[in-house]
Amino acid sequence: MEALTQWIAREGVDRPVPRAHGEEIAVEDEAEPVVVKLGVWVSNTKTRRDKLTADQRAALGELGVDWA
């Protein structure tokens, strides 16, 4: 969610995440940023959205993700 939040803040909610995109995020106890395969995560999450919990759907909805 942190990677998607960064993407939306920078690119906007209307710009789709390319499948090959990796988003760097800061992770506690890590010296270097960690790359999250955001494009793959979004694609998989969208495909399996019927398995998301209500809280997960709400979190995506708060970011403005319309398919959640």
Side-chain angles (χ1 to χ4, degrees):
M1 288 300 293
E2 183 177 339
L4 183 58
T5 301
Q6 280 182 193
W7 169 269
I8 290 172
R10 186 180 63 248
E11 304 291 337
V13 73
D14 294 327
R15 181 161 183 239
V17 180
R19 183 152 172 85
H21 178 71
E23 186 76 20
E24 287 187 358
I25 61 169
V27 176
E28 191 175 320
D29 298 329
E30 293 289 331
E32 299 291 321
V34 174
V35 177
V36 174
K37 295 179 180 179
L38 184 59
V40 172
W41 182 84
V42 168
S43 178
N44 289 344
T45 303
K46 188 174 183 179
T47 300
R48 299 175 184 129
R49 65 183 164 255
D50 58 326
K51 296 180 181 178
L52 295 175
T53 66
D55 289 341
Q56 290 169 325
R57 286 178 182 261
L60 288 168
E62 286 177 17
L63 290 176
V65 177
D66 61 356
W67 50 260

Coordinates of all heavy atoms in Angstrom, one line a residue:
M1 N 0.8 -1.2 0.0 CA 0.0 0.0 0.0 C 0.9 1.3 0.0 O 0.5 2.2 -0.6 CB -0.9 0.0 1.2 CG -2.0 -1.0 1.1 SD -3.2 -0.8 -0.3 CE -3.9 0.7 0.2
E2 N 2.0 1.2 0.7 CA 2.9 2.4 0.7 C 3.4 2.7 -0.7 O 3.4 3.8 -1.0 CB 4.1 2.1 1.7 CG 5.0 3.3 1.8 CD 6.1 3.1 2.8 OE1 6.0 2.2 3.7 OE2 7.1 3.8 2.7
A3 N 3.8 1.7 -1.4 CA 4.3 1.9 -2.8 C 3.2 2.5 -3.7 O 3.4 3.4 -4.4 CB 4.8 0.6 -3.4
L4 N 2.0 2.0 -3.5 CA 0.8 2.5 -4.3 C 0.5 4.0 -3.9 O 0.2 4.8 -4.7 CB -0.4 1.6 -4.2 CG -1.6 2.0 -5.0 CD1 -1.3 2.1 -6.5 CD2 -2.8 1.1 -4.7
T5 N 0.6 4.2 -2.6 CA 0.3 5.6 -2.1 C 1.4 6.6 -2.7 O 1.0 7.7 -3.1 CB 0.4 5.6 -0.6 OG1 -0.6 4.7 -0.1 CG2 0.2 7.0 0.0
Q6 N 2.6 6.2 -2.7 CA 3.7 7.0 -3.3 C 3.4 7.3 -4.8 O 3.5 8.4 -5.3 CB 5.0 6.3 -3.2 CG 5.7 6.5 -1.9 CD 7.1 5.8 -1.9 OE1 7.6 5.7 -0.8 NE2 7.7 5.5 -3.0
W7 N 3.0 6.2 -5.5 CA 2.7 6.3 -7.0 C 1.6 7.3 -7.2 O 1.7 8.2 -8.1 CB 2.4 4.9 -7.6 CG 1.8 5.0 -8.9 CD1 0.5 5.1 -9.3 CD2 2.6 5.0 -10.2 NE1 0.4 5.2 -10.7 CE2 1.7 5.1 -11.2 CE3 3.9 4.9 -10.4 CZ2 2.1 5.1 -12.5 CZ3 4.3 5.0 -11.8 CH2 3.4 5.1 -12.8
I8 N 0.5 7.2 -6.5 CA -0.6 8.0 -6.7 C -0.3 9.5 -6.3 O -0.7 10.4 -7.0 CB -1.9 7.5 -5.9 CG1 -2.3 6.2 -6.5 CG2 -3.0 8.5 -5.8 CD1 -3.4 5.5 -5.7
A9 N 0.5 9.7 -5.3 CA 0.9 11.0 -4.9 C 1.7 11.7 -6.0 O 1.6 12.9 -6.2 CB 1.6 11.0 -3.6
R10 N 2.5 10.9 -6.6 CA 3.4 11.4 -7.7 C 2.8 11.5 -9.0 O 2.9 12.5 -9.8 CB 4.7 10.6 -7.7 CG 5.8 11.1 -8.7 CD 7.0 10.3 -8.7 NE 6.7 8.9 -9.2 CZ 6.8 7.8 -8.5 NH1 7.1 7.8 -7.2 NH2 6.5 6.7 -9.1
E11 N 2.1 10.4 -9.4 CA 1.5 10.3 -10.8 C 0.0 10.6 -10.9 O -0.4 10.8 -12.0 CB 1.8 8.9 -11.3 CG 3.3 8.5 -11.3 CD 4.2 9.3 -12.3 OE1 3.6 9.8 -13.3 OE2 5.4 9.4 -12.1
G12 N -0.7 10.5 -9.8 CA -2.1 10.6 -9.9 C -2.8 9.3 -10.0 O -2.3 8.3 -10.5
V13 N -4.1 9.3 -9.5 CA -4.8 8.0 -9.5 C -5.3 7.6 -10.9 O -5.5 6.4 -11.1 CB -6.0 8.2 -8.5 CG1 -7.1 9.0 -9.1 CG2 -6.6 6.8 -8.1
D14 N -5.3 8.5 -11.8 CA -5.8 8.2 -13.2 C -4.8 7.6 -14.1 O -5.1 7.0 -15.1 CB -6.4 9.4 -13.8 CG -7.7 9.9 -13.1 OD1 -8.4 9.1 -12.6 OD2 -7.9 11.1 -13.1
R15 N -3.5 7.7 -13.7 CA -2.5 7.1 -14.5 C -2.2 5.6 -14.1 O -1.9 5.4 -12.9 CB -1.2 7.9 -14.4 CG -0.1 7.3 -15.2 CD 1.1 8.3 -15.5 NE 2.0 7.7 -16.4 CZ 3.3 7.5 -16.1 NH1 3.8 7.9 -14.9 NH2 4.1 6.9 -16.9
P16 N -2.4 4.7 -15.0 CA -2.2 3.3 -14.6 C -0.8 3.0 -14.4 O 0.1 3.6 -15.0 CB -2.7 2.5 -15.8 CG -2.8 3.5 -16.9 CD -2.9 4.9 -16.4
V17 N -0.5 2.0 -13.5 CA 0.8 1.6 -13.1 C 1.3 0.6 -14.2 O 0.6 -0.4 -14.4 CB 0.9 1.0 -11.7 CG1 2.3 0.5 -11.4 CG2 0.4 1.9 -10.7
P18 N 2.4 0.9 -14.9 CA 2.8 -0.1 -15.9 C 3.2 -1.4 -15.2 O 3.8 -1.4 -14.1 CB 4.1 0.5 -16.5 CG 3.9 2.0 -16.2 CD 3.2 2.1 -14.9
R19 N 2.9 -2.5 -15.8 CA 3.1 -3.8 -15.2 C 4.6 -4.0 -14.8 O 4.9 -4.7 -13.8 CB 2.7 -5.0 -16.2 CG 2.9 -6.3 -15.5 CD 1.9 -7.3 -16.1 NE 2.1 -8.7 -15.6 CZ 1.7 -9.2 -14.5 NH1 1.0 -8.4 -13.7 NH2 2.0 -10.4 -14.1
A20 N 5.5 -3.5 -15.5 CA 6.9 -3.7 -15.2 C 7.5 -2.7 -14.2 O 8.7 -2.8 -13.9 CB 7.8 -3.6 -16.5
H21 N 6.7 -1.8 -13.7 CA 7.1 -0.7 -12.8 C 7.5 -1.3 -11.4 O 6.8 -2.0 -10.8 CB 6.1 0.4 -12.7 CG 6.5 1.5 -11.7 ND1 7.5 2.4 -12.1 CD2 6.1 1.8 -10.5 CE1 7.7 3.2 -11.0 NE2 6.8 2.8 -10.1
G22 N 8.7 -0.8 -11.0 CA 9.1 -1.1 -9.6 C 9.2 0.2 -8.8 O 9.7 1.2 -9.3
E23 N 8.6 0.3 -7.7 CA 8.5 1.5 -6.8 C 9.5 1.3 -5.7 O 9.3 0.3 -4.9 CB 7.1 1.8 -6.4 CG 6.9 3.0 -5.7 CD 6.9 4.3 -6.5 OE1 6.6 4.1 -7.8 OE2 7.0 5.4 -6.0
E24 N 10.4 2.3 -5.4 CA 11.3 2.2 -4.3 C 10.6 2.8 -3.1 O 10.0 3.9 -3.2 CB 12.5 3.0 -4.6 CG 13.5 2.4 -5.5 CD 14.8 3.1 -5.6 OE1 15.0 4.2 -5.0 OE2 15.7 2.7 -6.4
I25 N 10.6 2.1 -2.0 CA 10.1 2.6 -0.7 C 11.1 2.4 0.4 O 11.9 1.5 0.3 CB 8.7 1.9 -0.3 CG1 9.0 0.4 -0.1 CG2 7.7 2.1 -1.3 CD1 7.8 -0.3 0.5
A26 N 11.0 3.3 1.4 CA 11.9 3.2 2.5 C 11.2 2.2 3.5 O 10.0 2.2 3.8 CB 12.0 4.5 3.2
V27 N 12.1 1.3 4.0 CA 11.6 0.2 4.9 C 12.4 0.4 6.2 O 13.7 0.4 6.1 CB 11.7 -1.2 4.3 CG1 11.3 -2.2 5.3 CG2 10.9 -1.3 3.1
E28 N 11.7 0.3 7.3 CA 12.4 0.4 8.6 C 13.5 -0.7 8.7 O 13.2 -1.8 8.3 CB 11.4 0.3 9.7 CG 11.9 0.6 11.1 CD 10.8 0.6 12.2 OE1 9.7 1.1 11.9 OE2 11.1 0.1 13.3
D29 N 14.6 -0.4 9.3 CA 15.7 -1.3 9.5 C 16.4 -1.7 8.2 O 17.2 -2.6 8.2 CB 15.3 -2.6 10.3 CG 14.7 -2.3 11.6 OD1 15.2 -1.3 12.3 OD2 13.8 -3.0 12.1
E30 N 16.1 -1.0 7.1 CA 16.9 -1.3 5.9 C 17.7 0.0 5.5 O 17.1 1.1 5.5 CB 15.9 -1.6 4.7 CG 15.2 -2.9 4.9 CD 16.1 -4.1 4.7 OE1 17.0 -4.1 3.9 OE2 15.7 -5.2 5.3
A31 N 18.9 -0.2 5.2 CA 19.8 0.9 4.8 C 19.4 1.5 3.5 O 19.5 2.7 3.3 CB 21.2 0.5 4.9
E32 N 19.1 0.7 2.6 CA 18.7 1.1 1.2 C 17.2 1.0 1.0 O 16.6 0.1 1.6 CB 19.5 0.2 0.2 CG 21.0 0.3 0.3 CD 21.5 1.6 -0.2 OE1 21.0 2.2 -1.1 OE2 22.5 2.1 0.5
P33 N 16.7 1.8 0.0 CA 15.3 1.6 -0.3 C 15.0 0.2 -0.9 O 15.9 -0.4 -1.5 CB 15.0 2.7 -1.4 CG 16.2 3.6 -1.3 CD 17.3 2.8 -0.7
V34 N 13.8 -0.3 -0.7 CA 13.4 -1.6 -1.2 C 12.6 -1.4 -2.4 O 11.7 -0.5 -2.4 CB 12.6 -2.4 -0.1 CG1 12.1 -3.7 -0.7 CG2 13.5 -2.6 1.1
V35 N 12.8 -2.1 -3.5 CA 12.0 -2.0 -4.7 C 10.8 -3.0 -4.6 O 11.0 -4.2 -4.5 CB 12.8 -2.3 -6.0 CG1 11.9 -2.2 -7.2 CG2 14.0 -1.3 -6.1
V36 N 9.6 -2.4 -4.8 CA 8.4 -3.2 -4.8 C 7.9 -3.3 -6.2 O 7.8 -2.3 -6.9 CB 7.3 -2.5 -3.9 CG1 6.0 -3.3 -4.1 CG2 7.7 -2.4 -2.5
K37 N 7.6 -4.5 -6.7 CA 7.1 -4.7 -8.1 C 5.7 -4.3 -8.1 O 4.7 -5.1 -8.1 CB 7.3 -6.1 -8.5 CG 8.7 -6.5 -8.6 CD 8.9 -8.0 -9.0 CE 10.4 -8.4 -9.1 NZ 10.5 -9.8 -9.4
L38 N 5.5 -2.9 -8.1 CA 4.1 -2.4 -7.9 C 3.2 -2.7 -9.1 O 2.0 -3.0 -8.9 CB 4.2 -0.8 -7.8 CG 2.9 -0.1 -7.6 CD1 2.2 -0.6 -6.3 CD2 3.1 1.4 -7.5
G39 N 3.7 -2.7 -10.3 CA 2.9 -3.1 -11.5 C 2.3 -4.5 -11.4 O 1.1 -4.7 -11.6
V40 N 3.1 -5.4 -11.0 CA 2.7 -6.8 -10.8 C 1.7 -6.9 -9.7 O 0.6 -7.5 -9.8 CB 3.9 -7.7 -10.6 CG1 3.4 -9.1 -10.2 CG2 4.8 -7.8 -11.8
W41 N 2.0 -6.2 -8.6 CA 1.1 -6.2 -7.4 C -0.3 -5.7 -7.8 O -1.3 -6.3 -7.4 CB 1.7 -5.4 -6.2 CG 0.8 -5.4 -5.0 CD1 0.8 -6.4 -4.1 CD2 -0.2 -4.5 -4.6 NE1 -0.1 -6.1 -3.1 CE2 -0.7 -4.9 -3.4 CE3 -0.6 -3.3 -5.2 CZ2 -1.7 -4.2 -2.8 CZ3 -1.6 -2.6 -4.5 CH2 -2.1 -3.0 -3.3
V42 N -0.3 -4.5 -8.5 CA -1.6 -3.9 -8.8 C -2.4 -4.9 -9.8 O -3.6 -5.1 -9.6 CB -1.4 -2.5 -9.5 CG1 -2.7 -2.0 -10.2 CG2 -0.9 -1.5 -8.5
S43 N -1.7 -5.4 -10.7 CA -2.4 -6.3 -11.7 C -2.9 -7.5 -11.0 O -4.1 -7.9 -11.2 CB -1.3 -6.8 -12.7 OG -1.9 -7.7 -13.6
N44 N -2.1 -8.2 -10.1 CA -2.6 -9.3 -9.4 C -3.8 -9.0 -8.4 O -4.7 -9.7 -8.3 CB -1.5 -10.0 -8.6 CG -0.5 -10.7 -9.5 OD1 -0.7 -10.9 -10.6 ND2 0.7 -10.9 -8.9
T45 N -3.6 -7.9 -7.7 CA -4.7 -7.4 -6.8 C -6.0 -7.1 -7.5 O -7.1 -7.5 -7.0 CB -4.2 -6.2 -6.0 OG1 -3.0 -6.6 -5.3 CG2 -5.2 -5.8 -4.9
K46 N -5.9 -6.5 -8.6 CA -7.1 -6.2 -9.4 C -7.7 -7.5 -9.9 O -9.0 -7.6 -9.8 CB -6.7 -5.3 -10.6 CG -7.9 -4.8 -11.4 CD -7.4 -3.8 -12.4 CE -8.6 -3.2 -13.2 NZ -8.1 -2.2 -14.2
T47 N -7.0 -8.4 -10.4 CA -7.5 -9.7 -10.8 C -8.2 -10.5 -9.7 O -9.2 -11.1 -9.9 CB -6.4 -10.5 -11.5 OG1 -5.8 -9.8 -12.5 CG2 -6.9 -11.9 -12.0
R48 N -7.6 -10.4 -8.5 CA -8.2 -11.1 -7.4 C -8.9 -10.3 -6.4 O -9.1 -10.6 -5.2 CB -7.0 -11.8 -6.7 CG -6.2 -12.7 -7.6 CD -5.0 -13.3 -6.9 NE -4.2 -14.1 -7.8 CZ -2.9 -14.0 -8.0 NH1 -2.2 -13.1 -7.4 NH2 -2.3 -14.7 -8.9
R49 N -9.5 -9.2 -6.9 CA -10.1 -8.2 -6.0 C -11.3 -8.8 -5.2 O -11.7 -8.3 -4.1 CB -10.5 -6.9 -6.7 CG -11.6 -7.1 -7.8 CD -11.9 -5.8 -8.5 NE -12.6 -6.0 -9.7 CZ -12.0 -6.0 -10.9 NH1 -10.7 -5.6 -11.0 NH2 -12.7 -6.2 -12.0
D50 N -11.9 -9.8 -5.7 CA -13.1 -10.5 -5.0 C -12.6 -11.2 -3.8 O -13.4 -11.5 -2.9 CB -13.8 -11.4 -5.9 CG -12.9 -12.5 -6.5 OD1 -11.7 -12.3 -6.8 OD2 -13.4 -13.7 -6.7
K51 N -11.3 -11.4 -3.6 CA -10.8 -12.0 -2.4 C -10.3 -11.0 -1.4 O -9.8 -11.4 -0.3 CB -9.6 -13.0 -2.8 CG -10.1 -14.1 -3.6 CD -9.0 -15.1 -4.0 CE -9.5 -16.2 -4.9 NZ -8.5 -17.1 -5.3
L52 N -10.4 -9.7 -1.7 CA -9.9 -8.7 -0.7 C -10.9 -8.6 0.5 O -12.1 -8.8 0.3 CB -9.8 -7.3 -1.4 CG -8.8 -7.2 -2.5 CD1 -8.9 -5.8 -3.2 CD2 -7.4 -7.4 -2.0
T53 N -10.4 -8.3 1.6 CA -11.2 -8.0 2.8 C -11.9 -6.7 2.6 O -11.4 -5.8 1.8 CB -10.4 -8.1 4.1 OG1 -9.5 -7.0 4.1 CG2 -9.7 -9.4 4.2
A54 N -12.8 -6.4 3.4 CA -13.5 -5.1 3.4 C -12.5 -4.0 3.8 O -12.6 -2.9 3.2 CB -14.7 -5.1 4.4
D55 N -11.6 -4.3 4.7 CA -10.6 -3.3 5.1 C -9.7 -3.0 4.0 O -9.3 -1.8 3.7 CB -9.8 -3.7 6.3 CG -10.6 -3.7 7.6 OD1 -11.7 -3.0 7.7 OD2 -10.2 -4.4 8.6
Q56 N -9.3 -4.0 3.2 CA -8.4 -3.8 2.1 C -9.1 -3.0 1.0 O -8.5 -2.1 0.4 CB -7.9 -5.2 1.6 CG -7.0 -5.9 2.5 CD -6.7 -7.3 2.1 OE1 -7.6 -8.0 1.6 NE2 -5.5 -7.8 2.3
R57 N -10.3 -3.3 0.7 CA -11.1 -2.6 -0.3 C -11.2 -1.1 0.2 O -11.1 -0.2 -0.6 CB -12.5 -3.2 -0.5 CG -12.4 -4.5 -1.3 CD -13.9 -5.0 -1.4 NE -13.9 -6.3 -2.1 CZ -14.2 -6.4 -3.3 NH1 -14.5 -5.4 -4.0 NH2 -14.2 -7.6 -3.9
A58 N -11.5 -0.9 1.5 CA -11.7 0.5 2.0 C -10.4 1.2 1.8 O -10.4 2.4 1.5 CB -12.1 0.4 3.4
A59 N -9.2 0.6 2.1 CA -7.9 1.3 2.0 C -7.7 1.7 0.6 O -7.2 2.8 0.3 CB -6.8 0.4 2.5
L60 N -8.0 0.8 -0.4 CA -7.8 1.1 -1.8 C -8.8 2.2 -2.2 O -8.4 3.1 -2.9 CB -8.0 -0.1 -2.6 CG -6.8 -1.1 -2.6 CD1 -7.3 -2.4 -3.2 CD2 -5.6 -0.6 -3.2
G61 N -10.0 2.2 -1.7 CA -11.0 3.2 -2.0 C -10.6 4.6 -1.5 O -10.8 5.6 -2.2
E62 N -9.9 4.6 -0.3 CA -9.5 5.9 0.2 C -8.4 6.5 -0.7 O -8.2 7.7 -0.7 CB -8.9 5.7 1.6 CG -10.0 5.5 2.7 CD -9.5 5.2 4.0 OE1 -8.3 5.5 4.3 OE2 -10.2 4.7 4.9
L63 N -7.6 5.7 -1.4 CA -6.6 6.2 -2.3 C -7.2 6.6 -3.7 O -6.6 7.2 -4.5 CB -5.6 5.1 -2.6 CG -4.6 4.8 -1.4 CD1 -3.7 3.6 -1.8 CD2 -3.8 6.0 -1.0
G64 N -8.5 6.3 -3.8 CA -9.2 6.7 -5.1 C -9.2 5.6 -6.1 O -9.5 5.9 -7.3
V65 N -8.8 4.4 -5.8 CA -8.8 3.3 -6.7 C -10.2 2.8 -7.0 O -10.9 2.3 -6.1 CB -7.9 2.1 -6.1 CG1 -7.9 0.9 -7.1 CG2 -6.5 2.6 -5.9
D66 N -10.7 3.1 -8.2 CA -12.1 2.8 -8.5 C -12.4 1.3 -8.7 O -13.6 1.0 -8.6 CB -12.5 3.6 -9.7 CG -11.7 3.3 -11.0 OD1 -10.8 2.5 -10.9 OD2 -12.1 3.8 -12.0
W67 N -11.5 0.5 -9.0 CA -11.8 -0.9 -9.3 C -11.9 -1.7 -8.0 O -12.3 -2.9 -8.0 CB -10.8 -1.6 -10.2 CG -9.4 -1.4 -9.9 CD1 -8.5 -0.5 -10.4 CD2 -8.6 -2.1 -8.9 NE1 -7.3 -0.6 -9.9 CE2 -7.3 -1.6 -8.9 CE3 -8.9 -3.1 -8.0 CZ2 -6.3 -2.0 -8.1 CZ3 -7.8 -3.6 -7.2 CH2 -6.6 -3.1 -7.2
A68 N -11.5 -1.1 -6.8 CA -11.6 -1.8 -5.6 C -13.0 -1.8 -5.1 O -13.6 -2.7 -4.5 CB -10.7 -1.2 -4.5

